[in-house]
Amino acid sequence: MASVTSLSDSVHQRLAAALSAALPQAGSADPLLRRSDRADFQANGILALAKKEKANPRELATQVVSGVESGELIKDVEVSGPGFLNITLTDRAITENLAARYADDTGRLGVPHAEQPGTTVIDYAQPNVAKEMHVGHLRSAVIGDAVVKLLEFTGENVVRRHHIGDWGTQFGMLIQYLEEHPHELDHKADEVSGEEAMSNLDRLYKAARKLFDADEEFKTRARRRVVDLQAGDPQTVAMWQKFVDESKIYFFSVFEKLDMEIRDADIVGESGYNDMLAETCRLLEESGVAVRSEGALCVFFDDIKGPDGNPVPLIVQKSDGGYGYAATDLSAIRDRVFNLKANSIIYVVDARQSLHFKMVFETARKAGWLGDDVKAYQLAFGTVLGKDGKPFKTREGETVRLVDLLDEAIDRASAVVREKAQDLSEAEIAERGTQVGVGAVKYADLSTSANRDYKFDLDQMVSLNGDTSVYLQYAYARIQSILRKAGASRPAAHPELELHEAERALGLHADSFAATVAEAATEYAPHKLAAYLYQLASFYTTFYDKCPVLKAETQEQIENRLFLCDVTARTLHRGMDLLGIRTPERL
């Protein structure tokens, strides 16, 4: 089905045409249309245009009103104040436009596909091999997953990348320990759960670390093993692969609990760029972008200096010949631009790494790997805080494990569902509790602008009141309950009916779904979609309180209100799905 033109776009087109006719010398003019509490829309653009053209704004506004084509779309346009236009639409236009969205059997609600989609590589959800995922891994995974869904829904070609930490000196220590204690991981990968796999690795790491710190001979053997790994020694690489495989069992179990799809083919860790590192350094040095400084290969910047006023370099290769994170990140850019043909590269990474990525991006531009036709952008996110406003820790001061956090959220949500449940079995309560608990954690994250810190407060997250996913899920479940109770009455649009004020507000907000999705996708801003959905649920609550549905005065009114309910439910369902959150039919 073709996309549906929104009411705001239709009004915008008519006002712009009237403006151009009134001031032909001004060319195309933007009426600056927005939703208003004084009418359905308000146009504020005439003031600036009149000032520019040295015209009387109120006279110009009056002239524009006389040129606006009204009819079935616009009921009334009035001049307000010094030249604002207040526009009221017909009830018929609101209902017919929603009916067109409702008729979209693709489930897109009339949201258009991009006409000329590009290719975006998005780097998110980057856990470390042989280490447990903690609360610090939450935001990259949740925000990245929502942005992927938004971009794919709007038609972009998306390549997912999970740049896991699977390389470095600690692997020499782990591999050497396993070589000398071969039974420590003596099981088949498919015989253990994810948490068991990580528990095994965690125990192994601690034992290896203890020996490394206490035994100089073991330390020497471990460092020699790092060299073997980097040189591609088959036995060493095979043992390293064991750690990676073991960790993946765990990663997949955590991401499954987060209700996220992580595909093995998309996991390209630090090791995936090893073969490119030497060439990356050679190209940087030959082009003069990087220079040798005290034996290290460095890139210097005019505008980046330390507290002492001296330049702070990006170290691409260490003086001992080892490669730093910069070499890997620059090699990844080369791969993403030249092999994956990316137009945009998005990094969903902690804001504390902003300086590093600024330096990496600038280096890649100096080297010619990032041209004007390729955007590299760090979608930087803030910190998860505890109720005390400090970084979220356990009572013992340790970092909170992600699985523990999710389990507690599920437990709290299950208690809320059990309290409200009337006809749900224990299995259904457990299923709903998981959907509500995980949804609560995701929504708390996604409803906050990514670059801001936010407080992790489970009591608030699973509340039925306020800006929470539970509030939205409850609104959706309530609509499904009404639709089930409707009997022979079915949702049907009746454009001939007059609408209650609450019906109009709900319909106009539902109509702006496509514009909100486009904005959230373009700006990589899931929080804008979350805010829209919360407003939609709030408008629905007002409608539900003021407009009886199944006890409306006429059959036509019952059908039309069921139609408004179903449009709202479909919009909530699609919008929550784009945030990676489930909408249970019953709560």
Side-chain angles (χ1 to χ4, degrees), residues 148 289 523:
V148 166
V289 172
E523 298 179 13

Side-chain angles (χ1 to χ4, degrees), residues 117 278 352 360 396 559:
R352 288 171 290 191
V360 166
E396 293 74 33
E559 292 172 355

